[in-house]
Amino acid sequence: MSKELVINSSSSEVVIALLEDKNLVELNKEKNNTNFAVGDIYLGKVKKIMPGLNAAFIDVGFEKDAFLHYLDLGHQFRSLDKYVKLAIESKNKTFPVSKFHLEPDIDKNGKIQQVLSEGQTIMVQVAKEPISTKGPRLASEISIAGRNLVLIPFSDKISISQKISDFEERDRLRKLVQSIKPKNFGVIVRTVAENKRVADLDAELRGLVEKWEGAFQNLKNKPPKLVLGELNRTTAILRDMLNADFNNVYLNDKVLFAETRDYIKSVAPDREKIIKLYDRSQPIFEHFGLEKQIKALFGKTVAIQKGAYLVIEHTEALHVIDVNSGNRSQSGSNQEENAIDVNLVAAKEIARQLRLRDMGGIIVIDFIDMHDPENKQKLYEKMKEFMASDRAKHHILPLSKFGLMQITRQRVRPEMSVQTVERCPSCNGSGEVTPSILFVDELENHVRWSLRKYRYKKVVLTLHPYVAAYLNKGFFSIHFKWRLKYLFRLSIKASNATAFLDYHFYDQKGDKIFF
């Protein structure tokens, strides 16, 4: 299976598309001013203790206080708390964790008020990003992820990824890590560490320890404060997923291209050539056919094969997916064969949709009714197989007697949502439009306004391909007349992502011009 990343960077956000065999399977959006990403470590302040919930609300600088449950404190919370206080009081000195005396574990059945008090300074890590009206979900069992290893301060455990199935390799990695691991640090060995040399793992482990200790230099008691930030979404995806299957990573931004290439050099120098700069005039997502895939895959109704389709609904409590056979029900095969055929195709698309939309929580799927127990078991096994490549933790239950399948899937970020129904650019939803004969005059007014008010040297006008063709028609086209009349560079760019009578102006830096 070939994998490619296509990254579209703009002034406001970075959109990352993961393709498997040219099919879109994951879509991530990262705002340039994003805070509170999963993995970020903060120095926070306890605002309120909630004994009834056995939890506390922590101020980490978000508009709503973050939530920290007692079970997410971690067994070694007292050691972390003592270490943080020492770091704050010591001012420029650092205390190696390997020489730190660990405190006793907290009681796993204890109460939050026995450990925390209002106004207390506390170190926490974002476990879930803010979702809907809720603030971030926090944990105090800190972990720092690398490409091959995950470092856990104030622990001595070594865990090996369950995806490494070879017993001898697991034993080798365990002994290897035990020999290089500093005291009072736990380590999780990730799947990509399989068959790695001791020198590579030792170098990464030292780097993670330095990263942890460096975060405590000049630490001051002024919460809320970001202590250690996670990698940006692009490099985090590469860190977690980069393997031999990755063929190309395309980026349309020179700065992000340089950052990503430098990161790949540091973790996998032999893969540097897969990082490629896209510098063509056509938008990068259009060039790779992603705009069409996005519009087709994020609607309420998703077509699958031979007339069958899915209907996807979202509620506050859960997600519901209905499988419909469409005109397949009219085929000559018997009902049972038709049902299992459609259900298997639907299961594969549903696994893709869960990753693509990052749907989390409870998902209920209404498959087409089947009577044969063997077919029901076959569908259950195939669903587990299709979901095996999903990095999010999930649990799948067999079909119930009502033909429903229930899935729980880890949710750490807001669900990816793309508006696929376009608002009419002519009437703005009112049902009434201005005379179409005035559309070109409206465009010219904006061209004149952008020239006179801001004196742009170059303006790019993005239009639907039909409208762009109309403005460029003929030798003495409307576009040509405007350039002669206003004596400045005006480029007209056709975009399939633009609605029929919609348009957008951009300056020479690529920033959108608002009227």
Side-chain angles (χ1 to χ4, degrees):
M1 178 188 294
S2 66
K3 292 183 180 180
E4 294 178 315
L5 273 186
V6 180
I7 302 169
N8 181 21
S9 178
S10 65
S11 58
S12 59
E13 65 180 6
V14 177
V15 185
I16 306 164
L18 173 63
L19 283 69
E20 293 181 355
D21 294 334
K22 304 299 182 182
N23 293 317
L24 181 65
V25 293
E26 287 188 24
L27 190 68
N28 292 278
K29 288 187 178 182
E30 184 179 15
K31 298 288 185 184
N32 288 340
N33 59 351
T34 298
N35 294 317
F36 310 103
V38 173
D40 286 351
I41 300 173
Y42 282 85
L43 195 65
K45 185 176 182 180
V46 179
K47 292 298 292 292
K48 193 172 184 180
I49 303 292
M50 304 293 290
L53 298 174
N54 204 18
F57 286 100
I58 313 295
D59 178 16
V60 290
F62 189 65
E63 57 189 35
K64 290 196 173 184
D65 290 336
F67 183 80
L68 175 65
H69 194 272
Y70 180 84
L71 296 177
D72 294 323
L73 286 174
H75 297 304
Q76 285 290 339
F77 173 76
R78 288 196 175 96
S79 297
L80 172 65
D81 188 48
K82 180 181 177 182
Y83 188 84
V84 171
K85 289 177 180 176
L86 284 173
I88 292 172
E89 293 169 359
S90 65
K91 298 183 179 176
N92 294 321
K93 295 181 180 179
T94 57
F95 293 91
V97 174
S98 57
K99 298 180 180 179
F100 183 75
H101 178 70
L102 297 182
E103 295 293 309
D105 290 358
I106 62 173
D107 182 4
K108 64 179 181 179
N109 297 315
K111 302 297 182 183
I112 194 77
Q113 60 269 30
Q114 296 172 344
V115 183
L116 297 181
S117 58
E118 291 187 8
Q120 179 178 341
T121 299
I122 178 176
M123 180 167 284
V124 289
Q125 188 169 32
V126 177
K128 286 186 180 180
E129 293 179 10
I131 298 174
S132 185
T133 59
K134 301 175 182 177
R137 178 77 180 256
L138 305 176
S140 272
E141 192 165 16
I142 308 297
S143 62
I144 304 174
R147 174 155 169 75
N148 301 294
L149 306 171
V150 178
L151 184 72
I152 305 175
F154 311 109
S155 172
D156 272 319
K157 293 182 180 179
I158 298 175
S159 301
I160 311 294
S161 168
Q162 294 182 353
K163 292 183 179 179
I164 300 177
S165 55
D166 184 81
F167 177 79
E168 291 184 359
E169 177 62 12
R170 292 176 65 88
D171 189 55
R172 182 188 78 90
L173 288 170
R174 189 180 301 277
K175 291 178 179 178
L176 188 156
V177 172
Q178 185 66 54
S179 67
I180 62 175
K181 180 184 71 69
K183 185 181 177 183
N184 296 335
F185 280 107
V187 174
I188 299 173
V189 181
R190 310 184 74 173
T191 309
V192 293
E194 191 171 9
N195 299 319
K196 285 290 193 305
R197 299 180 308 159
V198 62
D200 296 333
L201 299 182
D202 184 52
E204 180 171 309
L205 186 58
R206 289 176 183 273
L208 293 175
V209 173
E210 289 175 4
K211 188 176 181 180
W212 163 260
E213 293 180 346
F216 285 85
Q217 293 180 358
N218 300 320
L219 189 66
K220 297 179 180 178
N221 188 13
K222 290 185 179 180
K225 177 184 179 182
L226 177 65
V227 175
L228 190 61
E230 174 63 298
L231 297 171
N232 63 53
R233 191 71 57 85
T234 304
T235 48
I237 288 176
L238 287 173
R239 178 195 65 195
D240 296 341
M241 298 187 64
L242 184 65
N243 55 36
D245 293 336
F246 254 92
N247 298 82
N248 299 292
V249 178
Y250 297 98
L251 306 97
N252 66 342
D253 182 82
K254 291 182 179 179
V255 175
L256 189 58
F257 166 75
E259 291 176 357
T260 307
R261 185 179 57 185
D262 290 343
Y263 175 74
I264 292 296
K265 277 184 181 179
S266 65
V267 298
D270 57 317
R271 307 304 309 280
E272 180 190 351
K273 62 183 179 181
I274 71 172
I275 310 298
K276 299 177 181 178
L277 179 64
Y278 178 87
D279 55 2
R280 301 185 185 181
S281 58
Q282 185 182 23
I284 187 170
F285 272 20
E286 284 194 34
H287 176 78
F288 288 98
L290 292 177
E291 287 290 355
K292 187 175 182 180
Q293 287 198 54
I294 290 170
K295 293 294 184 182
L297 294 171
F298 276 90
K300 175 181 175 181
T301 302
V302 179
I304 39 181
Q305 290 183 8
K306 298 179 181 178
Y309 61 95
L310 307 175
V311 178
I312 303 175
E313 297 276 6
H314 309 282
T315 72
E316 187 71 20
L318 47 80
H319 308 278
V320 181
I321 302 176
D322 184 32
V323 180
N324 290 276
S325 60
N327 56 26
R328 282 288 297 270
S329 60
Q330 301 173 9
S331 64
S333 59
N334 63 53
Q335 193 274 337
E336 186 74 13
E337 289 180 2
N338 183 65
I340 186 62
D341 288 346
V342 173
N343 284 342
L344 290 176
V345 173
K348 186 174 183 179
E349 181 60 34
I350 288 168
R352 178 190 183 190
Q353 287 287 330
L354 297 186
R355 290 177 65 189
L356 184 61
R357 304 188 188 210
D358 203 8
M359 294 162 61
I362 301 173
I363 299 105
V364 178
I365 307 167
D366 183 12
F367 284 105
I368 299 171
D369 290 339
M370 298 180 296
H371 302 290
D372 190 340
E374 290 185 3
N375 285 338
K376 292 182 179 180
Q377 183 63 25
K378 181 179 180 180
L379 177 61
Y380 172 59
E381 296 296 334
K382 280 291 184 181
M383 194 71 202
K384 291 196 293 184
E385 180 184 322
F386 296 143
M387 292 282 289
S389 58
D390 194 338
R391 291 177 294 138
K393 295 178 182 178
H394 58 271
H395 183 66
I396 306 171
L397 294 180
L399 286 169
S400 70
K401 64 179 180 179
F402 298 116
L404 302 177
M405 181 178 287
Q406 299 172 66
I407 299 175
T408 59
R409 186 175 182 273
Q410 182 185 27
R411 176 171 58 180
V412 297
R413 296 185 180 91
E415 179 193 345
M416 174 59 62
S417 177
V418 176
Q419 189 68 30
T420 57
V421 179
E422 296 176 351
R423 186 171 186 165
C424 173
S426 302
C427 68
N428 289 321
S430 68
E432 298 178 349
V433 299
T434 55
S436 57
I437 197 172
L438 301 178
F439 180 69
V440 174
D441 293 338
E442 180 182 338
L443 288 177
E444 186 177 1
N445 287 336
H446 286 319
V447 169
R448 186 189 310 114
W449 184 86
S450 62
L451 174 64
R452 290 181 177 176
K453 184 168 183 178
Y454 291 109
R455 298 187 181 279
Y456 290 117
K457 295 180 180 179
K458 178 183 177 182
V459 170
V460 178
L461 173 57
T462 303
L463 296 155
H464 188 277
Y466 289 170
V467 181
Y470 173 75
L471 295 179
N472 285 316
K473 184 178 68 174
F475 174 76
F476 206 57
S477 64
I478 295 173
H479 177 201
F480 184 71
K481 291 178 182 177
W482 288 350
R483 294 186 66 169
L484 288 179
K485 184 176 181 180
Y486 299 110
L487 298 176
F488 82 122
R489 294 176 62 192
L490 171 67
S491 298
I492 291 181
K493 184 181 293 186
S495 171
N496 289 319
T498 305
F500 184 56
L501 290 181
D502 201 5
Y503 56 89
H504 304 286
F505 284 87
Y506 298 90
D507 62 17
Q508 59 267 28
K509 296 180 181 179
D511 295 329
K512 191 173 182 179
I513 301 172
F514 294 93
F515 298 98

